[in-house]
Structure formats: C-alpha cells, structure tokens
Amino acid sequence: LKITEYADKLEAGLEGLTWPEGTRVAQTQWIGRSEGAAITFDVASPAADPALQLEVFTTRADTLYGATYVVVAPEHPLLEDLTAEEHREQVEAYVSAAKAKSELDRVA
C-alpha cells in the first residue's frame, strides 16, 4: 500500500534527528504505522458469486473468531456485487448520501 510506504518514509526520516526521545516516540506513534495481516473472507451472500472473497487488513487477528459481518465503504469496488436486490435501493441511497458529504463529515 502507498500509505504503508509513506509511513515507512516518515519513520525513516526520524532517524538521526536530535530530538528528545519523548518527541521521537510521540512522532512514531502519531505516524501510526501498523503491523498486521491481510485476511481473506469467503463471502456468504445470496447476492454474490459463491467464489467471491473480500480481503481486509487487521492488526488484531485474534478478534476475528467472533466476526459476524464485514462493513465495506460506499465506494468499495465489490459493493454492487455484494448488494442483494431487495436492498439495492437503500444501498444506492446511502452511497449517494455519503458522496454528498465531505471527507471530514464522513469520519466525524
């Protein structure tokens, strides 16, 4: 991921700085580079192709045993394939509403 490359570049830029240790630690934590794993779920949906899979990234693989659902973003490329026909109108309305919001409003 490009984000991971950028985080690596930011962390590498901290090396050799003569900042107090507490400041360097705070900057490293702020960069937020995460170690984790990509997990692939088989999609169990009557709306989707039985061979369809969804990959997610997690830093807490130990919490996946209790997973009962996965949420995808309104712009996810598989959203249309995952949407059951009886929910299509509601999903399309949600996607339109999300597109009308700013990025800041969406994460608030």
Side-chain angles (χ1 to χ4, degrees):
L1 296 172
K2 291 289 182 192
I3 293 170
T4 302
E5 286 178 25
Y6 186 61
D8 289 343
K9 184 177 178 180
L10 288 173
E11 280 189 332
L14 294 174
E15 292 177 23
L17 294 177
T18 56
W19 291 355
E21 186 61 25
T23 303
R24 287 178 48 131
V25 169
Q27 285 297 302
T28 300
Q29 291 173 348
W30 180 84
I31 291 168
R33 186 176 181 286
S34 297
E35 298 288 333
I39 308 289
T40 302
F41 286 98
D42 292 330
V43 175
S45 169
D49 176 344
L52 188 63
Q53 294 183 320
L54 185 66
E55 185 176 272
V56 300
F57 176 81
T58 183
T59 58
R60 294 288 313 272
D62 60 312
T63 63
L64 294 175
Y65 295 108
T68 55
Y69 64 91
V70 175
V71 177
V72 297
E75 50 280 308
H76 194 284
L78 293 178
L79 183 64
E80 190 172 320
D81 295 334
L82 295 170
T83 303
E85 204 53 50
E86 64 267 20
H87 300 294
R88 190 162 305 281
E89 189 175 318
Q90 294 165 302
V91 170
E92 288 173 354
Y94 176 78
V95 169
S96 293
K99 285 181 178 179
K101 294 180 179 181
S102 70
E103 184 177 348
L104 183 59
D105 287 338
R106 283 186 60 185
V107 298

